[in-house]
C-alpha cells in the first residue's frame, strides 16, 4: 500500500478537474476543458496502481486503464464516458476537417462522471478528499 503516491496522483487529478470546472463555468472552449478532463480521469485511475505499488500503464486510453483494475465496476454509460473522454486527448492537435469542439452538454456529463469517479476512488483508497487541494 502506497497512500503517499496515490495522494500525489489524486492531487494533480483534482487540479485538472478543478481547472475543467472553472473553464466550463467561464464558458471556455470545450476542447480545452475536455483535455483537462481526460487528464483528470487518467490520473484518478492511475492513482489506484500507485496505491498498490503496481506498474503504471503507459497508455492514455481510459478504457484500457480501467480494464486493468479490479476495484472499479462501471456500467455501460460510464464506459461510454471513458471512450468519449479518451477522444478529448489528441496526440495530433492540428486542425483538420474532422475536428470539432465537444458539445457543452457532453462536457458537463463527463465533468459529473469525473467528480463521482474521484469520490469513489478516494473512498476505495481511504483518502479524505479535503487532502487534495
Amino acid at each position: 500500500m502506497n497512500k503517499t503516491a496515490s495522494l500525489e496522483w489524486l492531487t494533480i487529478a483534482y487540479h485538472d478537474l478543478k481547472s475543467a470546472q472553472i473553464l466550463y463555468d467561464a464558458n471556455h472552449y470545450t476542447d480545452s476543458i475536455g483535455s483537462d478532463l481526460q487528464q483528470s480521469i487518467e490520473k484518478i485511475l492511475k492513482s489506484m496502481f500507485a496505491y498498490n505499488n503496481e506498474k503504471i500503464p503507459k497508455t492514455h486510453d481510459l478504457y484500457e486503464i480501467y480494464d486493468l483494475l479490479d476495484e472499479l465496476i462501471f456500467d455501460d454509460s460510464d464506459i461510454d464516458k471513458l471512450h468519449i473522454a479518451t477522444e478529448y486527448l489528441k496526440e495530433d492537435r492540428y486542425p483538420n476537417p474532422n475536428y470539432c469542439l465537444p458539445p457543452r452538454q457532453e462536457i458537463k456529463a463527463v465533468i459529473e462522471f469525473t467528480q463521482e469517479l474521484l469520490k469513489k476512488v478516494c473512498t476505495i483508497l481511504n483518502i479524505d478528499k479535503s487532502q487534495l487541494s
Side-chain angles (χ1 to χ4, degrees):
M1 175 174 90
N2 192 338
K3 199 168 187 176
T4 301
S6 61
L7 187 58
E8 291 172 2
W9 280 90
L10 288 171
T11 298
I12 301 303
Y14 177 76
H15 294 175
D16 290 336
L17 175 57
K18 290 307 286 182
S19 293
Q21 290 171 321
I22 290 167
L23 293 174
Y24 180 83
D25 291 343
N27 202 26
H28 193 68
Y29 304 107
T30 56
D31 57 338
S32 296
I33 300 167
S35 182
D36 283 338
L37 289 172
Q38 187 283 336
Q39 283 293 288
S40 181
I41 296 167
E42 181 176 334
K43 291 167 188 162
I44 292 168
L45 294 174
K46 288 181 176 182
S47 75
M48 299 184 80
F49 293 94
Y51 183 84
N52 293 317
N53 287 313
E54 296 174 355
K55 184 176 178 183
I56 308 293
K58 300 270 188 209
T59 180
H60 300 294
D61 186 306
L62 301 175
Y63 181 78
E64 284 181 24
I65 300 166
Y66 158 74
D67 198 38
L68 296 171
L69 295 167
D70 295 328
E71 300 92 342
L72 292 173
I73 298 174
F74 290 161
D75 62 22
D76 289 343
S77 173
D78 291 341
I79 289 172
D80 287 344
K81 288 180 186 78
L82 290 178
H83 290 301
I84 289 166
T86 296
E87 290 300 310
Y88 293 157
L89 184 71
K90 300 288 187 190
E91 299 290 331
D92 177 7
R93 297 288 289 176
Y94 295 115
N96 64 59
N98 299 319
Y99 183 79
C100 63
L101 296 176
R104 279 186 59 81
Q105 190 165 351
E106 177 183 283
I107 287 290
K108 183 177 188 220
V110 176
I111 287 173
E112 291 168 355
F113 166 78
T114 308
Q115 291 168 332
E116 288 303 311
L117 177 61
L118 181 62
K119 284 185 209 170
K120 185 182 288 188
V121 169
C122 283
T123 299
I124 290 169
L125 302 183
N126 196 28
I127 291 176
D128 184 349
K129 196 175 159 214
S130 69
Q131 296 178 273
L132 304 181
S133 51

